[in-house]
Amino acid sequence: MFFVTPAYAEEAPAAATGTDAHAAPAAGEVHTETGVAEGEHARGPFPPFDSTTFASQLLWLVITFGVFYLLMQKVIAPRIGAILDQRHTRISQDLEEAGRLKAEADAAVQTYEGELAAARAKSNAIGSAARDAAKAKAEEERRAVEASLSEKIKAAELRIGEIKAKAFADVGTIAEETAAAVVDQLIGGTVAKADVADAVAAAKKEA
């Protein structure tokens, strides 16, 4: 900060106009604490390019760089590294989780396919067994029906044979009686039953 010394040319006594170093300045002159007029500072070089301040500038540059370097090394870099490590760990965990889920999905698909194949094989086996059982049952029923029909046919044949034999026996008796009646009507006499039976038997042989 600059201080402007007021001009007091009119207040100073006439004796103060000598060559004393502490004499009051003339009217209109401006002085600062450094003894240099304000206008001279305005005409000086730009401070960063002032060669007289290079040493202090380099010193402050080194100090600032050192503080910034320590700040980067002790605070910023560890935080960035921790964030990167955390993200890397999270990405690795996500990849591992994705791999695990994929493996579980593949295992589930394989299990499903295996169970589906087993179910198909079991259904085919059940169908084949059912067909075989139905076929065997039908064959057994057919054999039972054939056996029953065979028994019935045999019984019918026996019955027919009995009826036929009885009919033949009755036919012989009827023929003998008829022959005896015919002879009785024709000749008016009786014939022995033995002769009639022999004649009927001879007729049967010839027939």
Side-chain angles (χ1 to χ4, degrees):
M1 182 180 294
F2 299 99
F3 297 93
V4 178
T5 305
Y8 42 94
E10 296 179 356
E11 299 178 358
T17 58
T19 60
D20 192 357
H22 298 284
E29 291 184 1
V30 179
H31 289 271
T32 63
E33 292 180 349
T34 58
V36 181
E38 185 178 2
E40 294 180 1
H41 284 287
R43 292 190 299 270
F46 186 62
F49 300 140
D50 190 359
S51 61
T52 60
T53 61
F54 279 174
S56 62
Q57 291 181 24
L58 291 175
L59 178 61
W60 282 109
L61 178 62
V62 171
I63 293 172
T64 305
F65 180 78
V67 172
F68 182 72
Y69 178 77
L70 291 176
L71 183 65
M72 286 289 296
Q73 185 179 12
K74 300 297 184 181
V75 179
I76 298 176
R79 289 184 181 180
I80 294 175
I83 292 172
L84 293 177
D85 292 339
Q86 184 178 2
R87 290 185 178 180
H88 179 71
T89 302
R90 183 177 298 175
I91 291 172
S92 299
Q93 291 176 354
D94 292 340
L95 291 175
E96 291 177 358
E97 183 69 14
R100 185 180 64 81
L101 293 176
K102 185 178 182 299
E104 291 180 357
D106 293 339
V109 170
Q110 292 180 357
T111 303
Y112 171 75
E113 291 179 352
E115 292 179 354
L116 183 60
R120 288 177 178 174
K122 186 176 181 180
S123 63
N124 292 331
I126 292 173
S128 298
R131 286 193 299 270
D132 294 340
K135 185 177 180 181
K137 186 177 180 180
E139 184 68 20
E140 183 179 357
E141 291 178 355
R142 185 184 64 79
R143 290 177 181 176
V145 170
E146 288 180 354
S148 177
L149 290 175
S150 178
E151 294 293 332
K152 289 181 179 181
I153 290 171
K154 289 180 180 179
E157 289 178 352
L158 290 176
R159 180 65 177 168
I160 291 170
E162 292 177 357
I163 294 172
K164 185 178 180 181
K166 185 177 180 181
F168 284 155
D170 293 339
V171 168
T173 302
I174 293 170
E176 291 176 0
E177 292 178 355
T178 304
V182 170
V183 170
D184 184 42
Q185 290 291 331
L186 291 175
I187 63 175
T190 60
V191 182
K193 292 182 178 180
D195 295 336
V196 174
D198 292 338
V200 171
K204 287 181 178 178
K205 289 181 180 180
E206 291 178 358

